[in-house]
Amino acid sequence: MEVPIGFTDKDVNLDAPPLFTDTFWLVYIHEMTMHGLAGYSISFSVSARKDIRDHYYQCNIDAMDLYNKSIEILISKGIYQRSPYFSKTERGHSITEWGYVMDLFGDKRQLNSMEAGNVYFNLKKSIAAKALVNGFKQVTKDKDIHSFMEECLHTTSKNINIFSSLLQQENLQSPRLMDAEITNSDVAPFSDKLMVFHAGFLFHLATTYYAAAMITSMRIDVAGHCDASILRDLKTISSFGRIMIKKGWIEKLPRADDRKELS
């Protein structure tokens, strides 16, 4: 089997000045490590060959170590943003009214801890993605890619505004924006191919997180917002696919034999 081209040293410009601050990169490493933990766990669980399982086993160990290091530094520097605080209840309560799920008379109940936690989690991801894409847009010279990054910004900003308002309505804090962590550099530290791929990768991930939040939300308006965010992200993913194909940046995966052609 041929080795994929993927990315090479040519996709990174080591002489470029910093595009983001150290604070952003620390948050970025922490966020991306969470993606790695999820991806490596799935890859490990679907692998049969021992050498492949050993590889993903070590990847999980390394990712957990990096997660611990990154969160300890974030906390020690006062940068880590904790999820909204909820007062503990004295005892458990059963749900006995449909109003807990459906907004029948215009009065919404307060967000529960799972709903607020998912909203906050997704907001942190969207805020980091928005800053990253904003930086990429600042340094790309290609009109098509600049337009794609604009679409990415429009989508993330829409999602951020909606979910931030949900927390604000409950008097719960929202994570702060990271746009101020972008420098004034106009020199691209990465190739257009890598920047576009990374932006599209984050939107693919976002749809899975919104789907998880949707199926665990018992307030129907929250589930509806997650569903709408997925549709917005899928539209941006469609643009991502078109520009990757137009630029010739997508490699074909191995596919099943065409029995009709072989016969």
Side-chain angles (χ1 to χ4, degrees):
M1 184 179 294
E2 295 183 1
V3 177
I5 299 171
F7 298 100
T8 67
D9 292 342
K10 295 180 180 179
D11 292 297
V12 180
N13 179 10
L14 296 177
D15 296 324
L19 181 57
F20 302 96
T21 66
D22 290 345
T23 296
F24 173 84
W25 283 124
L26 182 57
V27 173
Y28 170 89
I29 289 171
H30 179 68
E31 299 286 343
M32 291 302 295
T33 303
M34 283 191 274
H35 300 324
L37 284 168
Y40 291 141
S41 297
I42 293 173
S43 297
F44 176 82
S45 65
V46 298
S47 298
R49 273 176 45 173
K50 185 178 185 304
D51 59 335
I52 302 296
R53 285 185 281 113
D54 288 344
H55 170 71
Y56 285 121
Y57 177 83
Q58 187 60 50
C59 286
N60 272 296
I61 298 294
D62 294 341
M64 286 189 286
D65 287 342
L66 186 56
Y67 178 89
N68 280 334
K69 291 177 181 178
S70 64
I71 196 171
E72 287 298 329
I73 296 175
L74 284 168
I75 292 173
S76 68
K77 299 293 184 181
I79 302 172
Y80 184 74
Q81 301 182 78
R82 297 180 183 273
S83 300
Y85 173 80
F86 282 75
S87 301
K88 64 180 181 179
T89 56
E90 296 298 327
R91 58 187 179 86
H93 296 278
S94 299
I95 299 172
T96 58
E97 299 177 352
W98 280 106
Y100 193 89
V101 178
M102 300 184 67
D103 176 24
L104 298 177
F105 303 105
D107 294 326
K108 300 183 182 71
R109 62 165 173 79
Q110 290 80 15
L111 293 171
N112 62 36
S113 57
M114 183 177 293
E115 291 161 345
N118 280 328
V119 168
Y120 197 86
F121 178 85
N122 284 322
L123 267 173
K124 288 175 71 174
K125 297 288 183 294
S126 295
I127 287 170
K130 179 174 180 284
L132 190 77
V133 169
N134 220 346
F136 289 169
K137 188 192 75 164
Q138 180 173 296
V139 296
T140 185
K141 304 299 188 292
D142 187 291
K143 291 183 178 179
D144 290 337
I145 296 173
H146 193 277
S147 178
F148 170 67
M149 294 301 175
E150 280 283 5
E151 182 178 346
C152 291
L153 282 175
H154 176 77
T155 303
T156 53
S157 296
K158 179 80 172 179
N159 294 341
I160 289 170
N161 290 337
I162 289 173
F163 289 102
S164 292
S165 66
L166 282 176
L167 293 180
Q168 292 166 4
Q169 290 166 12
E170 308 287 334
N171 296 311
L172 299 173
Q173 82 274 12
S174 296
R176 68 177 182 85
L177 294 176
M178 301 195 68
D179 296 358
E181 306 301 332
I182 307 170
T183 70
N184 61 357
S185 172
D186 60 356
V187 180
F190 312 110
S191 67
D192 286 342
K193 174 185 174 182
L194 193 151
M195 290 190 291
V196 171
F197 181 87
H198 196 5
F201 166 75
L202 292 177
F203 275 87
H204 277 90
L205 282 175
T207 59
T208 64
Y209 291 130
Y210 283 129
M214 180 172 64
I215 62 176
T216 56
S217 297
M218 297 190 69
R219 225 175 76 173
I220 198 167
D221 64 316
V222 176
H225 286 312
C226 291
D227 186 34
S229 295
I230 291 173
L231 292 176
R232 282 190 291 270
D233 283 0
L234 286 174
K235 182 180 178 182
T236 303
I237 289 170
S238 177
S239 299
F240 164 69
R242 286 195 298 270
I243 195 169
M244 290 291 286
I245 291 173
K246 180 179 179 180
K247 299 292 185 180
W249 291 337
I250 293 184
E251 300 178 52
K252 288 184 178 180
L253 294 171
R255 56 183 176 178
D257 293 328
D258 188 338
R259 298 300 172 187
K260 293 180 180 180
E261 181 180 335
L262 290 172
S263 61

Short mmCIF file of all heavy atoms in Angstrom, two decimals, residues 88-128:
data_model
loop_
_atom_site.label_atom_id
_atom_site.label_comp_id
_atom_site.label_asym_id
_atom_site.label_seq_id
_atom_site.Cartn_x
_atom_site.Cartn_y
_atom_site.Cartn_z
N LYS A 88 -24.75 22.20 44.94
CA LYS A 88 -25.11 20.79 45.07
C LYS A 88 -26.48 20.65 45.73
O LYS A 88 -26.89 21.47 46.56
CB LYS A 88 -24.06 20.04 45.90
CG LYS A 88 -23.93 20.50 47.34
CD LYS A 88 -22.88 19.69 48.06
CE LYS A 88 -22.77 20.13 49.54
NZ LYS A 88 -21.76 19.35 50.26
N THR A 89 -27.23 19.61 45.32
CA THR A 89 -28.56 19.35 45.88
C THR A 89 -28.44 18.39 47.06
O THR A 89 -27.52 17.58 47.13
CB THR A 89 -29.48 18.74 44.82
OG1 THR A 89 -28.86 17.56 44.30
CG2 THR A 89 -29.70 19.72 43.67
N GLU A 90 -29.39 18.51 47.97
CA GLU A 90 -29.37 17.66 49.16
C GLU A 90 -29.77 16.22 48.84
O GLU A 90 -29.29 15.28 49.45
CB GLU A 90 -30.30 18.24 50.23
CG GLU A 90 -29.86 19.62 50.72
CD GLU A 90 -28.49 19.59 51.38
OE1 GLU A 90 -28.17 18.56 52.02
OE2 GLU A 90 -27.74 20.56 51.24
N ARG A 91 -30.68 16.04 47.89
CA ARG A 91 -31.13 14.69 47.53
C ARG A 91 -31.60 14.69 46.08
O ARG A 91 -31.80 15.73 45.48
CB ARG A 91 -32.29 14.25 48.45
CG ARG A 91 -33.49 15.16 48.42
CD ARG A 91 -34.53 14.75 49.48
NE ARG A 91 -35.68 15.64 49.47
CZ ARG A 91 -36.74 15.49 48.69
NH1 ARG A 91 -36.79 14.48 47.85
NH2 ARG A 91 -37.75 16.33 48.75
N GLY A 92 -31.77 13.49 45.52
CA GLY A 92 -32.19 13.37 44.14
C GLY A 92 -33.67 13.68 43.96
O GLY A 92 -34.48 13.50 44.87
N HIS A 93 -34.03 14.17 42.76
CA HIS A 93 -35.43 14.47 42.44
C HIS A 93 -35.77 13.86 41.09
O HIS A 93 -34.97 13.90 40.16
CB HIS A 93 -35.67 15.98 42.39
CG HIS A 93 -35.45 16.67 43.71
ND1 HIS A 93 -36.41 16.71 44.70
CD2 HIS A 93 -34.38 17.34 44.20
CE1 HIS A 93 -35.94 17.38 45.74
NE2 HIS A 93 -34.70 17.77 45.45
N SER A 94 -36.95 13.28 40.98
CA SER A 94 -37.41 12.71 39.73
C SER A 94 -38.11 13.77 38.89
O SER A 94 -38.70 14.72 39.41
CB SER A 94 -38.38 11.55 39.98
OG SER A 94 -37.74 10.51 40.71
N ILE A 95 -38.05 13.61 37.57
CA ILE A 95 -38.76 14.51 36.65
C ILE A 95 -40.20 14.04 36.55
O ILE A 95 -40.47 12.88 36.21
CB ILE A 95 -38.10 14.50 35.26
CG1 ILE A 95 -36.65 14.98 35.35
CG2 ILE A 95 -38.88 15.37 34.28
CD1 ILE A 95 -35.87 14.80 34.06
N THR A 96 -41.14 14.93 36.84
CA THR A 96 -42.56 14.54 36.86
C THR A 96 -43.43 15.37 35.92
O THR A 96 -44.61 15.10 35.78
CB THR A 96 -43.12 14.68 38.30
OG1 THR A 96 -42.95 16.03 38.74
CG2 THR A 96 -42.39 13.73 39.25
N GLU A 97 -42.84 16.39 35.27
CA GLU A 97 -43.63 17.27 34.40
C GLU A 97 -43.00 17.37 33.02
O GLU A 97 -41.78 17.41 32.87
CB GLU A 97 -43.73 18.67 35.02
CG GLU A 97 -44.41 18.71 36.39
CD GLU A 97 -44.41 20.12 36.97
OE1 GLU A 97 -43.74 20.99 36.37
OE2 GLU A 97 -45.06 20.33 38.00
N TRP A 98 -43.89 17.44 31.98
CA TRP A 98 -43.43 17.59 30.62
C TRP A 98 -42.74 18.94 30.40
O TRP A 98 -41.92 19.09 29.49
CB TRP A 98 -44.60 17.46 29.64
CG TRP A 98 -44.99 16.06 29.36
CD1 TRP A 98 -46.08 15.39 29.83
CD2 TRP A 98 -44.26 15.12 28.56
NE1 TRP A 98 -46.09 14.10 29.37
CE2 TRP A 98 -44.97 13.91 28.58
CE3 TRP A 98 -43.07 15.19 27.83
CZ2 TRP A 98 -44.55 12.77 27.91
CZ3 TRP A 98 -42.64 14.06 27.14
CH2 TRP A 98 -43.38 12.87 27.18
N GLY A 99 -43.06 19.90 31.23
CA GLY A 99 -42.44 21.21 31.11
C GLY A 99 -40.94 21.18 31.29
O GLY A 99 -40.24 22.11 30.89
N TYR A 100 -40.42 20.10 31.89
CA TYR A 100 -38.96 19.97 32.04
C TYR A 100 -38.29 19.84 30.68
O TYR A 100 -37.16 20.26 30.47
CB TYR A 100 -38.62 18.75 32.89
CG TYR A 100 -37.18 18.70 33.34
CD1 TYR A 100 -36.79 19.31 34.53
CD2 TYR A 100 -36.20 18.06 32.58
CE1 TYR A 100 -35.47 19.28 34.94
CE2 TYR A 100 -34.88 18.02 32.98
CZ TYR A 100 -34.53 18.64 34.17
OH TYR A 100 -33.22 18.62 34.59
N VAL A 101 -39.03 19.27 29.73
CA VAL A 101 -38.49 19.02 28.39
C VAL A 101 -38.99 20.05 27.40
O VAL A 101 -38.22 20.61 26.61
CB VAL A 101 -38.86 17.61 27.91
CG1 VAL A 101 -38.34 17.36 26.50
CG2 VAL A 101 -38.31 16.57 28.88
N MET A 102 -40.30 20.31 27.41
CA MET A 102 -40.92 21.16 26.39
C MET A 102 -41.33 22.51 26.97
O MET A 102 -41.86 22.59 28.08
CB MET A 102 -42.14 20.46 25.79
CG MET A 102 -41.83 19.13 25.13
SD MET A 102 -43.27 18.37 24.35
CE MET A 102 -43.57 19.52 23.02
N ASP A 103 -41.07 23.55 26.20
CA ASP A 103 -41.45 24.91 26.58
C ASP A 103 -42.88 25.17 26.10
O ASP A 103 -43.10 25.62 24.98
CB ASP A 103 -40.47 25.91 25.96
CG ASP A 103 -40.86 27.35 26.23
OD1 ASP A 103 -41.57 27.59 27.22
OD2 ASP A 103 -40.46 28.21 25.43
N LEU A 104 -43.87 24.86 26.94
CA LEU A 104 -45.26 24.94 26.51
C LEU A 104 -45.86 26.34 26.67
O LEU A 104 -46.71 26.75 25.90
CB LEU A 104 -46.11 23.95 27.32
CG LEU A 104 -45.73 22.47 27.13
CD1 LEU A 104 -46.58 21.59 28.05
CD2 LEU A 104 -45.91 22.05 25.69
N PHE A 105 -45.41 27.08 27.67
CA PHE A 105 -46.04 28.36 27.98
C PHE A 105 -45.04 29.53 27.93
O PHE A 105 -45.30 30.60 28.45
CB PHE A 105 -46.70 28.31 29.35
CG PHE A 105 -47.72 27.20 29.47
CD1 PHE A 105 -47.44 26.06 30.19
CD2 PHE A 105 -48.95 27.31 28.83
CE1 PHE A 105 -48.36 25.03 30.29
CE2 PHE A 105 -49.88 26.29 28.93
CZ PHE A 105 -49.59 25.14 29.66
N GLY A 106 -43.89 29.31 27.33
CA GLY A 106 -42.92 30.40 27.19
C GLY A 106 -41.96 30.54 28.35
O GLY A 106 -41.05 31.36 28.30
N ASP A 107 -42.14 29.74 29.39
CA ASP A 107 -41.24 29.82 30.56
C ASP A 107 -40.28 28.63 30.52
O ASP A 107 -40.70 27.48 30.65
CB ASP A 107 -42.04 29.80 31.86
CG ASP A 107 -42.90 31.04 32.02
OD1 ASP A 107 -42.46 32.11 31.56
OD2 ASP A 107 -44.01 30.93 32.59
N LYS A 108 -39.02 28.92 30.36
CA LYS A 108 -38.03 27.84 30.31
C LYS A 108 -37.47 27.61 31.71
O LYS A 108 -37.25 28.55 32.47
CB LYS A 108 -36.87 28.22 29.38
CG LYS A 108 -37.27 28.47 27.93
CD LYS A 108 -36.03 28.75 27.09
CE LYS A 108 -36.41 29.05 25.65
NZ LYS A 108 -37.06 30.36 25.51
N ARG A 109 -37.25 26.34 32.03
CA ARG A 109 -36.57 26.04 33.28
C ARG A 109 -35.09 26.40 33.14
O ARG A 109 -34.59 26.62 32.04
CB ARG A 109 -36.72 24.56 33.62
CG ARG A 109 -36.09 23.65 32.57
CD ARG A 109 -35.92 22.23 33.08
NE ARG A 109 -35.46 21.35 32.00
CZ ARG A 109 -34.21 21.28 31.58
NH1 ARG A 109 -33.26 22.04 32.12
NH2 ARG A 109 -33.89 20.45 30.60
N GLN A 110 -34.38 26.42 34.26
CA GLN A 110 -32.95 26.69 34.21
C GLN A 110 -32.21 25.52 33.55
O GLN A 110 -32.67 24.38 33.57
CB GLN A 110 -32.38 26.89 35.63
CG GLN A 110 -32.83 28.16 36.31
CD GLN A 110 -34.23 28.03 36.90
OE1 GLN A 110 -34.75 26.92 37.05
NE2 GLN A 110 -34.84 29.15 37.21
N LEU A 111 -31.10 25.82 32.94
CA LEU A 111 -30.26 24.77 32.38
C LEU A 111 -29.78 23.84 33.49
O LEU A 111 -29.44 24.30 34.59
CB LEU A 111 -29.02 25.37 31.69
CG LEU A 111 -29.23 26.19 30.42
CD1 LEU A 111 -27.93 26.88 30.02
CD2 LEU A 111 -29.74 25.32 29.28
N ASN A 112 -29.79 22.54 33.21
CA ASN A 112 -29.20 21.64 34.20
C ASN A 112 -27.69 21.57 33.98
O ASN A 112 -27.16 22.12 33.01
CB ASN A 112 -29.86 20.25 34.17
CG ASN A 112 -29.68 19.54 32.83
OD1 ASN A 112 -28.64 19.65 32.18
ND2 ASN A 112 -30.70 18.78 32.42
N SER A 113 -26.99 20.88 34.86
CA SER A 113 -25.53 20.89 34.83
C SER A 113 -24.97 20.25 33.56
O SER A 113 -23.95 20.70 33.02
CB SER A 113 -24.97 20.16 36.06
OG SER A 113 -25.48 18.84 36.13
N MET A 114 -25.64 19.20 33.05
CA MET A 114 -25.16 18.55 31.83
C MET A 114 -25.33 19.46 30.63
O MET A 114 -24.42 19.58 29.79
CB MET A 114 -25.89 17.23 31.60
CG MET A 114 -25.38 16.46 30.38
SD MET A 114 -26.18 14.85 30.16
CE MET A 114 -25.54 13.98 31.59
N GLU A 115 -26.47 20.12 30.53
CA GLU A 115 -26.72 21.03 29.41
C GLU A 115 -25.75 22.20 29.42
O GLU A 115 -25.14 22.53 28.40
CB GLU A 115 -28.16 21.53 29.46
CG GLU A 115 -29.19 20.45 29.17
CD GLU A 115 -30.59 20.81 29.65
OE1 GLU A 115 -30.71 21.77 30.45
OE2 GLU A 115 -31.54 20.13 29.26
N ALA A 116 -25.59 22.82 30.59
CA ALA A 116 -24.68 23.96 30.70
C ALA A 116 -23.24 23.54 30.44
O ALA A 116 -22.47 24.27 29.80
CB ALA A 116 -24.80 24.60 32.07
N GLY A 117 -22.88 22.34 30.92
CA GLY A 117 -21.52 21.85 30.70
C GLY A 117 -21.23 21.63 29.23
O GLY A 117 -20.16 21.98 28.74
N ASN A 118 -22.19 21.06 28.50
CA ASN A 118 -22.01 20.84 27.06
C ASN A 118 -21.94 22.16 26.31
O ASN A 118 -21.13 22.32 25.38
CB ASN A 118 -23.17 20.00 26.51
CG ASN A 118 -22.99 18.52 26.79
OD1 ASN A 118 -21.88 18.02 26.83
ND2 ASN A 118 -24.10 17.82 26.99
N VAL A 119 -22.79 23.12 26.68
CA VAL A 119 -22.77 24.43 26.03
C VAL A 119 -21.42 25.10 26.25
O VAL A 119 -20.80 25.64 25.31
CB VAL A 119 -23.91 25.33 26.58
CG1 VAL A 119 -23.71 26.78 26.12
CG2 VAL A 119 -25.27 24.82 26.10
N TYR A 120 -20.93 25.06 27.48
CA TYR A 120 -19.65 25.69 27.81
C TYR A 120 -18.49 25.00 27.07
O TYR A 120 -17.61 25.66 26.52
CB TYR A 120 -19.42 25.62 29.31
CG TYR A 120 -18.35 26.57 29.82
CD1 TYR A 120 -18.65 27.89 30.13
CD2 TYR A 120 -17.04 26.14 29.99
CE1 TYR A 120 -17.67 28.75 30.60
CE2 TYR A 120 -16.05 26.99 30.45
CZ TYR A 120 -16.38 28.30 30.75
OH TYR A 120 -15.42 29.16 31.21
N PHE A 121 -18.52 23.67 27.05
CA PHE A 121 -17.49 22.88 26.37
C PHE A 121 -17.42 23.23 24.89
O PHE A 121 -16.34 23.47 24.34
CB PHE A 121 -17.81 21.39 26.56
CG PHE A 121 -16.87 20.45 25.87
CD1 PHE A 121 -15.68 20.07 26.46
CD2 PHE A 121 -17.18 19.93 24.62
CE1 PHE A 121 -14.82 19.19 25.83
CE2 PHE A 121 -16.33 19.05 23.97
CZ PHE A 121 -15.14 18.67 24.58
N ASN A 122 -18.58 23.28 24.24
CA ASN A 122 -18.62 23.60 22.81
C ASN A 122 -18.23 25.05 22.55
O ASN A 122 -17.64 25.37 21.51
CB ASN A 122 -20.00 23.30 22.24
CG ASN A 122 -20.24 21.81 22.04
OD1 ASN A 122 -19.33 21.10 21.64
ND2 ASN A 122 -21.44 21.35 22.32
N LEU A 123 -18.58 25.94 23.47
CA LEU A 123 -18.19 27.34 23.31
C LEU A 123 -16.67 27.48 23.33
O LEU A 123 -16.09 28.22 22.52
CB LEU A 123 -18.81 28.18 24.43
CG LEU A 123 -20.15 28.84 24.13
CD1 LEU A 123 -20.71 29.50 25.38
CD2 LEU A 123 -20.03 29.86 23.01
N LYS A 124 -16.00 26.80 24.23
CA LYS A 124 -14.54 26.87 24.30
C LYS A 124 -13.92 26.39 22.99
O LYS A 124 -12.95 26.98 22.49
CB LYS A 124 -14.02 26.04 25.47
CG LYS A 124 -14.31 26.65 26.83
CD LYS A 124 -13.88 25.75 27.97
CE LYS A 124 -12.38 25.67 28.11
NZ LYS A 124 -11.98 24.89 29.31
N LYS A 125 -14.48 25.32 22.42
CA LYS A 125 -13.97 24.81 21.15
C LYS A 125 -14.20 25.83 20.02
O LYS A 125 -13.32 26.08 19.20
CB LYS A 125 -14.68 23.50 20.80
CG LYS A 125 -14.44 22.37 21.78
CD LYS A 125 -13.03 21.84 21.67
CE LYS A 125 -12.79 20.67 22.59
NZ LYS A 125 -12.85 21.05 24.01
N SER A 126 -15.39 26.42 19.99
CA SER A 126 -15.71 27.38 18.93
C SER A 126 -14.86 28.64 19.05
O SER A 126 -14.43 29.22 18.04
CB SER A 126 -17.20 27.76 18.98
OG SER A 126 -18.02 26.64 18.70
N ILE A 127 -14.62 29.09 20.27
CA ILE A 127 -13.84 30.30 20.50
C ILE A 127 -12.39 30.10 20.06
O ILE A 127 -11.77 30.98 19.43
CB ILE A 127 -13.93 30.72 21.98
CG1 ILE A 127 -15.32 31.32 22.25
CG2 ILE A 127 -12.82 31.71 22.35
CD1 ILE A 127 -15.62 31.55 23.72
N ALA A 128 -11.81 28.93 20.38
CA ALA A 128 -10.45 28.63 19.94
C ALA A 128 -10.39 28.52 18.42
O ALA A 128 -9.45 29.02 17.78
CB ALA A 128 -9.96 27.34 20.59
#
